[in-house]
Amino acid sequence: HVAGQAVMAFYLGGWVTDEGVEIDERRYCRSCLPFGHDAQVKERFLLLCDLAGWRAEHLWHGKGSSRDGHPDEELFAVLEDRRQGWDDYDGDDADAVDAMIKMSPAATDDELAQRYTDYSAECYAILREPTVWSAIERVAANLMERGKLSAAEALEASGGDAAKLHR
């Protein structure tokens, strides 16, 4: 989960914060994008990093929902939850929905669902790239062994050079 998020951040030209990557109950990975990007680039970065966790898990063990294709009832439940001002849903997919609503508060549910589906498909395509997937496996192996990696250790485990992920 967090290995997928960390590698996605590196792939997109961002980094993992000094807090590092941790596989405790929080499944923690906080990533950042360098300053100076427009709103669309920021949204893409946030959503792909948020979505990478569950999708990496799905590709690894095949369990759970792929959260791909037509958005399921949970997506619409999160949208309704947020529009009502509630906070019943938490997690990466809810963070992705929050980012889309923030970027486009007037968007319809169908428009947000289409963007979610498009980002999900892009996320899967990136995760399936052989250099990206092997980087995720290396980061995950290091995390399983140690439980936590610093930002530098996560980058080193991914191959040491984020530019190499784009082959």
Side-chain angles (χ1 to χ4, degrees), residues 5-166:
Q5 291 173 325
V7 171
M8 182 64 74
F10 297 142
Y11 178 90
L12 296 171
W15 66 88
V16 171
T17 66
D18 290 339
E19 297 169 68
V21 182
E22 193 167 354
I23 59 169
D24 66 3
E25 65 276 355
R26 296 176 303 150
R27 295 185 315 249
Y28 187 78
C29 176
R30 181 149 186 226
S31 53
C32 294
L33 182 66
F35 294 107
H37 294 285
D38 66 22
Q40 183 63 33
V41 170
K42 289 177 185 174
E43 178 186 76
R44 179 175 177 260
F45 179 84
L46 289 171
L47 267 79
L48 290 177
C49 288
D50 282 338
L51 297 174
W54 284 114
R55 281 142 193 85
E57 280 195 46
H58 182 254
L59 291 173
W60 174 254
H61 54 61
K63 295 178 183 173
S65 169
S66 69
R67 293 172 164 85
D68 200 13
H70 185 73
D72 59 13
E73 292 178 14
E74 184 177 351
L75 171 64
F76 291 107
V78 172
L79 288 169
E80 180 63 19
D81 179 74
R82 296 312 195 249
R83 292 223 165 91
Q84 295 296 330
W86 304 327
D87 196 17
D88 292 338
Y89 289 89
D90 192 17
D92 299 326
D93 284 357
D95 291 344
V97 171
D98 290 342
M100 288 190 303
I101 291 171
K102 182 178 179 182
M103 297 302 288
S104 304
T108 67
D109 286 0
D110 287 338
E111 290 168 337
L112 292 173
Q114 184 60 54
R115 283 175 43 210
Y116 179 92
T117 299
D118 293 345
Y119 280 122
S120 183
E122 182 181 5
C123 184
Y124 269 119
I126 292 168
L127 294 174
R128 287 184 174 116
E129 291 180 22
T131 54
V132 171
W133 190 252
S134 64
I136 292 168
E137 288 178 325
R138 288 189 305 273
V139 172
N142 277 271
L143 279 166
M144 293 300 293
E145 181 180 312
R146 296 170 42 200
K148 183 175 182 173
L149 299 175
S150 70
E153 291 167 336
L155 180 59
E156 181 63 30
S158 74
D161 182 359
K164 291 179 183 178
L165 295 173
H166 291 281

